[in-house]
Amino acid sequence: MKFSIDRSKFVNQTTNVQRAISTKTTIPILTGMKLELTESGLRITGSNSDISITSFIAQDDADNDLTIESTGSIVLPARFFNEIIKKLPGDNFELEVLNNNQTLITSGVSEFTINGLDANNYPHLPEVETDNQLIFPTDLFKEVVNQTVIAVSNQESRPVLTGVNFIINNDGLTLVATDSHRLSQRKIDITSDEEYNLIIPGKSLTELVRTINDSVKEISLSISENQVLFSFDNVMFYSRLLDGRYPETDRLIPEDSNTRLTFDTSNLLASVERASLLSHESRNNVIKLEIKSVDKKATLYGNSPEVGTVEEVLDFENLEGDDLDISFNPDYLKDALRSFGSNTTIEMSFTSPLHPFTLRPVDDKDNFVQLITPVRTF
Amino acid sequence: MKFSIDRSKFVNQTTNVQRAISTKTTIPILTGMKLELTESGLRITGSNSDISITSFIAQDDADNDLTIESTGSIVLPARFFNEIIKKLPGDNFELEVLNNNQTLITSGVSEFTINGLDANNYPHLPEVETDNQLIFPTDLFKEVVNQTVIAVSNQESRPVLTGVNFIINNDGLTLVATDSHRLSQRKIDITSDEEYNLIIPGKSLTELVRTINDSVKEISLSISENQVLFSFDNVMFYSRLLDGRYPETDRLIPEDSNTRLTFDTSNLLASVERASLLSHESRNNVIKLEIKSVDKKATLYGNSPEVGTVEEVLDFENLEGDDLDISFNPDYLKDALRSFGSNTTIEMSFTSPLHPFTLRPVDDKDNFVQLITPVRTF
């Protein structure tokens, strides 16, 4: 195996692939990056137990300046290989596999000889049929993932809750995530010949969204029994699926309400951020919202016995219904508010101090809801 | 005590003062920030066992928008107070001390009540006579501090080596720092009526340089028996001095040399950075420089038994003298090269593989030297 290539084009691809590679893996070869050179181009692969990413640099794209002297494959220590390539002096570099998987990398005045591993020992990538693909505009896909993934659980005690539930049927695509204290649900229109109910790990989705750069217009989703494959540009991103049955969440979302508050997300977010400065210092990170319907007044209270107290008079657009005192974790409210984007008008609906309350965008109430469970403080 | 003030002008000053305040202190009141309001303005103070910083906001500067209703003083928990003020909604805020050191802070829709401490219990600042001041242009002062402070020791076993030695006499000002593996010495012209020999803690100098913003033209140094005071703009920065006798370092700097190499700092720095990628992975972080005088060739070698080897052919301007193989810590060489600034021409002078070697700027050899002790590898 011997080739030379444009260094910056190569680095762009290894940066993507690197996301799948962990230094903490118990399988030594997975700390490496696999390079496979065929007559058509160079495939670069990284993998861990959850995700695998592969990127292809085509020989027939002149921008890549890929000159192939002999084909072959090698696995190189990913972290070093990346750092070395980033710091090489030339615009191009040459890579040649010598005896015993020793790999010579030369560029300008620099010459590195790196100990590689036999690519035959690298695990095979999962096989996912790509006949039946769902296509999403990238912006929309990123938006709905970011809006729901905030609510996944970090606790491994109920593994299914660490993922986002993708439900694909006649209604379109519904994404749901919940850590049992809060829930996020978002629906979008898509058409699919098949029905699916998948649980994709939250961490995979977070890495996926980071990997998709702004120039990508569309992303394709292919589904197999225990894997999904997201394809875009020259990148293929595989994620395992979570086993198990995702809980029915529809019945958790209250249909009626006794108190409703409408406001602009940015104003409320600033107030919650200030109130949480103190609540973060107290043992039970909680702030209280007090609604006085007759006075048309809504106030947030935070306190820390050590530091002091804070009172925020809220600036809302509309308030109707019963008086209410309700306490909750301000960080859940901050995450929920950020998910709507700045300067969006939101309706917050409450039934009682001990029942979950919801936040919905006023102009799209049916398709997006954030739910938060209050905290009992008495 | 009651006043209102422009919020951003206030934050600029608390950000400076905050540098002196540590959350790790064993003296609880020093986690606080002291505010002292007199008819002439507001003085803000922070302190730890090494440095104290005080900043003054004058009443007669209309930009500060300082309106005084009643004078007084208070100590507030520094970290929270800073965060609160940064996040308040209004352009101005009002602060009022109530009973029992409770302090009410209001701005727009926000109202904080913070538990303060009695300012009478705050330690007094050191007293430093300011009759006999030395004045430095800020750029030059920052430059010479940054060039020497890199060589101070982090080890408390010889406390004097954690400071920079300032020697002021007929020759001007000489700064010296050494951790016994490397040494940095810089001289500048100043005139002083008095002679001084001080050891200023390296950490104080690092914080000082960060505190001085780019708009400051001059900085004044006043010296007392165990303290120094740096004054600039409306800021006073106190540092304790280190007790003890700084070692004589003049005799450590070799006068003769058998091999000399002249090069541009930026080229060499890039090569050393690449070579150190591998040496960082090996147990004894060392790279080797091989000079072949007849062949006019200088090469850097780095290796890690696990990862591989690297060879860098150096791009120099001139090479003269004996052949040489010398090994050293690449991080010392990187720090030294960075201290000269990019694209500076440097002469590296060697006597033998086991004697310290020096780096000096070609156009100012007498006033600036970096010295590095090699490592024995055989």
Side-chain angles (χ1 to χ4, degrees):
Chain A
M1 177 178 178
K2 185 174 179 185
F3 66 92
S4 70
I5 197 165
D6 182 273
R7 197 164 61 85
S8 69
K9 290 277 186 284
F10 184 84
V11 168
N12 288 344
Q13 300 314 318
T14 53
T15 306
N16 282 337
V17 171
Q18 182 77 33
R19 292 182 193 283
I21 303 174
S22 162
T23 50
K24 291 187 208 136
T25 174
T26 50
I27 307 167
I29 202 165
L30 290 186
T31 62
M33 189 177 279
K34 184 182 176 190
L35 306 183
E36 272 175 287
L37 186 64
T38 60
E39 293 300 338
S40 58
L42 179 66
R43 178 168 300 287
I44 312 170
T45 304
S47 184
N48 62 35
S49 50
D50 287 323
I51 61 175
S52 301
I53 304 177
T54 158
S55 191
F56 187 72
I57 300 178
Q59 201 275 327
D60 58 13
D61 180 346
D63 277 357
N64 296 324
D65 209 0
L66 175 59
T67 310
I68 300 171
E69 284 202 37
S70 65
T71 59
S73 59
I74 188 76
V75 175
L76 295 173
R79 191 162 56 90
F80 286 105
F81 181 55
N82 245 337
E83 282 188 61
I84 288 167
I85 301 296
K86 275 185 199 157
K87 294 201 162 167
L88 286 175
D91 291 337
N92 282 36
F93 72 91
E94 188 181 273
L95 187 148
E96 181 180 5
V97 178
L98 311 171
N99 290 333
N100 294 320
N101 300 311
Q102 294 261 300
T103 303
L104 181 69
I105 301 165
T106 47
S107 180
V109 297
S110 293
E111 188 178 299
F112 282 82
T113 310
I114 301 298
N115 305 325
L117 293 166
D118 187 341
N120 291 318
N121 298 328
Y122 196 85
H124 290 285
L125 288 189
E127 280 180 33
V128 178
E129 286 284 337
T130 52
D131 296 347
N132 203 351
Q133 289 188 325
L134 299 171
I135 313 283
F136 300 95
T138 312
D139 290 348
L140 179 64
F141 183 80
K142 281 185 169 187
E143 182 182 299
V144 299
V145 167
N146 286 332
Q147 285 169 340
T148 47
V149 80
I150 53 167
V152 300
S153 169
N154 301 316
Q155 313 270 316
E156 290 295 335
S157 53
R158 282 187 71 190
V160 292
L161 297 190
T162 64
V164 176
N165 189 198
F166 278 62
I167 305 156
I168 296 159
N169 56 29
N170 291 336
D171 290 348
L173 167 64
T174 305
L175 292 87
V176 185
T178 179
D179 60 7
S180 77
H181 302 292
R182 53 173 161 180
L183 176 148
S184 176
Q185 179 184 290
R186 177 75 203 263
K187 289 182 187 173
I188 56 174
D189 286 338
I190 58 160
T191 27
S192 167
D193 300 337
E194 304 275 338
E195 297 206 343
Y196 299 98
N197 190 318
L198 321 165
I199 311 169
I200 305 181
K203 283 182 190 160
S204 300
L205 292 168
T206 305
E207 283 304 331
L208 171 62
V209 165
R210 286 189 192 137
T211 308
I212 307 171
N213 75 45
D214 292 341
S215 66
V216 177
K217 296 235 158 28
E218 279 188 345
I219 170 163
S220 312
L221 168 60
S222 311
I223 299 163
S224 79
E225 201 181 314
N226 55 10
Q227 292 278 340
V228 280
L229 165 61
F230 298 94
S231 321
F232 47 95
D233 283 0
N234 52 342
V235 178
M236 294 203 282
F237 186 111
Y238 297 82
S239 171
R240 73 181 175 101
L241 294 173
L242 291 171
D243 279 339
R245 214 182 138 72
Y246 202 82
E248 288 283 341
T249 55
D250 267 352
R251 58 180 177 77
L252 298 176
I253 302 171
E255 288 181 7
D256 300 324
S257 64
N258 299 319
T259 308
R260 285 163 300 284
L261 191 61
T262 313
F263 53 81
D264 173 276
T265 48
S266 305
N267 279 342
L268 183 59
L269 182 57
S271 282
V272 180
E273 281 177 343
R274 286 189 293 267
S276 67
L277 281 179
L278 296 192
S279 69
H280 280 170
E281 280 314 291
S282 82
R283 214 171 306 168
N284 54 354
N285 187 23
V286 161
I287 62 174
K288 186 177 83 172
L289 171 64
E290 182 188 86
I291 294 175
K292 299 268 185 220
S293 211
V294 182
D295 303 343
K296 290 280 173 201
K297 202 169 172 191
T299 314
L300 275 183
Y301 296 92
N303 83 84
S304 137
E306 283 190 11
V307 185
T309 60
V310 49
E311 193 178 318
E312 292 277 330
V313 178
L314 298 186
D315 187 8
F316 53 81
E317 292 177 14
N318 192 42
L319 187 169
E320 54 184 33
D322 301 345
D323 284 0
L324 181 80
D325 272 19
I326 190 167
S327 297
F328 49 85
N329 182 323
D331 299 334
Y332 295 163
L333 182 55
K334 281 193 277 185
D335 287 346
L337 289 170
R338 289 192 189 111
S339 77
F340 294 109
S342 50
N343 301 111
T344 307
T345 307
I346 295 296
E347 186 180 88
M348 222 163 154
S349 303
F350 305 88
T351 47
S352 84
L354 294 180
H355 280 94
F357 60 94
T358 59
L359 294 89
R360 298 174 195 259
V362 164
D363 58 9
D364 197 14
K365 283 191 187 180
D366 293 336
N367 292 317
F368 188 17
V369 57
Q370 296 277 7
L371 175 143
I372 295 171
T373 304
V375 175
R376 181 198 280 266
T377 56
F378 47 88
Chain B
M1 177 179 176
K2 185 173 179 184
F3 65 91
S4 70
I5 196 165
D6 181 272
R7 197 163 61 85
S8 70
K9 291 277 186 286
F10 185 85
V11 168
N12 288 345
Q13 300 314 316
T14 54
T15 305
N16 282 335
V17 170
Q18 182 77 35
R19 292 182 192 283
I21 302 175
S22 162
T23 50
K24 291 187 208 134
T25 174
T26 50
I27 307 168
I29 203 164
L30 290 186
T31 62
M33 189 176 279
K34 184 182 175 191
L35 307 183
E36 274 175 287
L37 186 64
T38 59
E39 293 299 340
S40 58
L42 179 67
R43 178 168 299 288
I44 312 169
T45 304
S47 183
N48 63 33
S49 49
D50 287 323
I51 61 174
S52 301
I53 304 178
T54 159
S55 190
F56 187 72
I57 301 179
Q59 200 276 326
D60 58 12
D61 180 348
D63 278 358
N64 297 323
D65 210 358
L66 175 58
T67 309
I68 300 172
E69 284 202 38
S70 65
T71 59
S73 60
I74 188 75
V75 175
L76 295 172
R79 190 163 58 90
F80 286 105
F81 181 55
N82 245 338
E83 282 188 62
I84 288 167
I85 301 296
K86 276 185 198 155
K87 294 203 162 164
L88 286 175
D91 290 337
N92 281 36
F93 72 92
E94 189 181 273
L95 186 147
E96 180 181 5
V97 178
L98 312 170
N99 290 333
N100 294 322
N101 300 312
Q102 293 261 300
T103 303
L104 182 68
I105 301 164
T106 47
S107 179
V109 298
S110 293
E111 187 179 299
F112 283 82
T113 310
I114 300 298
N115 305 326
L117 292 168
D118 187 340
N120 291 318
N121 297 329
Y122 196 86
H124 290 285
L125 288 187
E127 280 179 32
V128 179
E129 285 284 336
T130 53
D131 296 346
N132 203 351
Q133 290 188 324
L134 300 171
I135 314 284
F136 300 95
T138 312
D139 291 348
L140 179 65
F141 182 81
K142 282 184 165 183
E143 181 183 300
V144 299
V145 166
N146 286 332
Q147 286 170 338
T148 47
V149 80
I150 53 167
V152 300
S153 169
N154 300 317
Q155 313 269 318
E156 289 296 333
S157 52
R158 282 186 72 189
V160 292
L161 297 189
T162 64
V164 177
N165 189 196
F166 279 62
I167 305 157
I168 297 159
N169 56 29
N170 291 336
D171 290 348
L173 167 65
T174 305
L175 292 86
V176 185
T178 179
D179 60 6
S180 77
H181 302 291
R182 54 175 161 177
L183 176 148
S184 175
Q185 178 183 291
R186 176 75 202 265
K187 289 181 187 175
I188 55 173
D189 286 337
I190 57 159
T191 26
S192 167
D193 300 336
E194 304 274 339
E195 298 206 340
Y196 299 99
N197 191 317
L198 320 166
I199 312 169
I200 305 179
K203 284 182 189 158
S204 300
L205 291 168
T206 305
E207 282 305 331
L208 170 63
V209 163
R210 285 188 192 139
T211 308
I212 307 171
N213 75 44
D214 292 343
S215 66
V216 176
K217 295 236 157 30
E218 278 187 347
I219 171 165
S220 311
L221 169 59
S222 311
I223 299 162
S224 78
E225 202 181 313
N226 55 12
Q227 292 278 340
V228 280
L229 165 60
F230 298 94
S231 320
F232 47 95
D233 283 0
N234 53 342
V235 177
M236 295 202 282
F237 186 110
Y238 298 83
S239 170
R240 74 180 174 101
L241 294 173
L242 291 170
D243 278 339
R245 215 183 137 73
Y246 202 83
E248 289 283 340
T249 54
D250 267 352
R251 61 181 174 75
L252 299 176
I253 303 171
E255 288 182 5
D256 300 323
S257 65
N258 299 320
T259 307
R260 284 163 302 283
L261 192 59
T262 312
F263 54 81
D264 174 277
T265 47
S266 306
N267 279 342
L268 183 58
L269 183 57
S271 283
V272 180
E273 281 177 344
R274 287 189 293 268
S276 67
L277 281 179
L278 297 192
S279 68
H280 281 170
E281 281 313 291
S282 82
R283 213 172 306 167
N284 54 354
N285 186 23
V286 161
I287 62 173
K288 186 177 85 172
L289 171 64
E290 181 188 87
I291 294 175
K292 299 266 185 222
S293 210
V294 181
D295 304 344
K296 291 278 170 203
K297 201 166 173 192
T299 314
L300 275 184
Y301 296 91
N303 83 84
S304 137
E306 285 190 9
V307 185
T309 60
V310 48
E311 192 177 319
E312 290 278 330
V313 178
L314 298 186
D315 188 8
F316 53 82
E317 292 177 14
N318 192 42
L319 187 169
E320 53 183 34
D322 301 346
D323 284 2
L324 182 80
D325 272 19
I326 190 166
S327 297
F328 49 86
N329 181 323
D331 298 334
Y332 295 163
L333 182 55
K334 282 193 276 186
D335 287 345
L337 289 170
R338 289 193 189 111
S339 76
F340 295 107
S342 51
N343 301 112
T344 306
T345 307
I346 294 295
E347 187 181 88
M348 224 165 154
S349 302
F350 306 88
T351 47
S352 84
L354 293 179
H355 280 94
F357 59 93
T358 60
L359 294 89
R360 298 173 195 259
V362 164
D363 58 10
D364 196 14
K365 283 191 186 177
D366 293 336
N367 293 317
F368 188 17
V369 56
Q370 297 277 8
L371 175 143
I372 295 171
T373 304
V375 174
R376 181 200 280 266
T377 55
F378 49 87

